[in-house]
Amino acid sequence: MHRCARVLLAGLLPAMLLLSACSSSKPAAQSSPSTTPPADRPTPWPAPAAPMARARAAGLVPETAESLEYHVHAHLDVFVNGTQITVPAGIGIDTRNPAVHTFTIAGARAYGGIAVPCDQPCISPLHTHDVSGVLHTESVTQKDNTLGQFFTEWNVRLDGDCVATYCRPATPIGIFVGGTRYTGDPRSIALGNLKEIAIVIGTPPAQIPSTFDQGLI
């Protein structure tokens, strides 16, 4: 049973509204298991204030509701010294707008379900609904966004040498796409459908994921 169906069965009205933004069911892929539930993971870099300003800084055009002409999902894992950290919910979403619903998934807040358009732009075409690490592209443009755009929205530094305040050579940093080390500019990584991206800072985890559980979508 996939994430959208589970939320519906839980009887959460906002999640019912979010269903329109969820993808169709797909067979689950294998990935390394999380060591702690999402709600219990550390969150050193919370979702920033002024999310629409951050979206515009990333070269994205915020809208008043989700646009599903182009709808794909990539997944981001971030590890710091072997500990998986949370990619926050609500990146790229104005969670204070009354048209944006708030609900709970995996013990943590999630946002979305914009059934009635916001009175002003409230959602970027690149965003996170929950803390699963799924990066949603919901856009009128048939083009993949990039990891650099997402980190600009997150307001966290990402370049060839640094992630946030961690920088080479003082701290080892590895970028992996589909389980394979990526040596190019991490900001240019396209957020294609079902792509698994892992950022490994410091001591690596026991296993670096190459895929992710599509039930998270």
Side-chain angles (χ1 to χ4, degrees), residues 101-186:
H101 291 270
T102 302
F103 47 98
T104 300
I105 293 179
R109 286 186 177 182
Y111 306 95
I114 306 172
V116 177
C118 299
D119 57 357
Q120 58 187 331
C122 62
I123 187 165
S124 166
L126 175 60
H127 54 264
T128 60
H129 286 294
D130 56 27
V131 296
S132 65
V134 175
L135 313 184
H136 295 254
T137 290
E138 299 171 4
S139 175
V140 296
T141 303
Q142 301 286 316
K143 180 181 179 181
D144 289 333
N145 296 309
T146 66
L147 189 64
Q149 288 176 302
F150 180 74
F151 270 78
T152 296
E153 286 193 303
W154 195 358
N155 202 25
V156 174
R157 179 180 178 182
L158 175 70
D159 56 39
D161 294 317
C162 299
V163 180
T165 57
Y166 299 97
C167 294
R168 301 184 179 107
T171 304
I173 297 173
I175 310 292
F176 297 82
V177 178
T180 299
R181 184 179 286 274
Y182 182 86
T183 58
D185 178 5

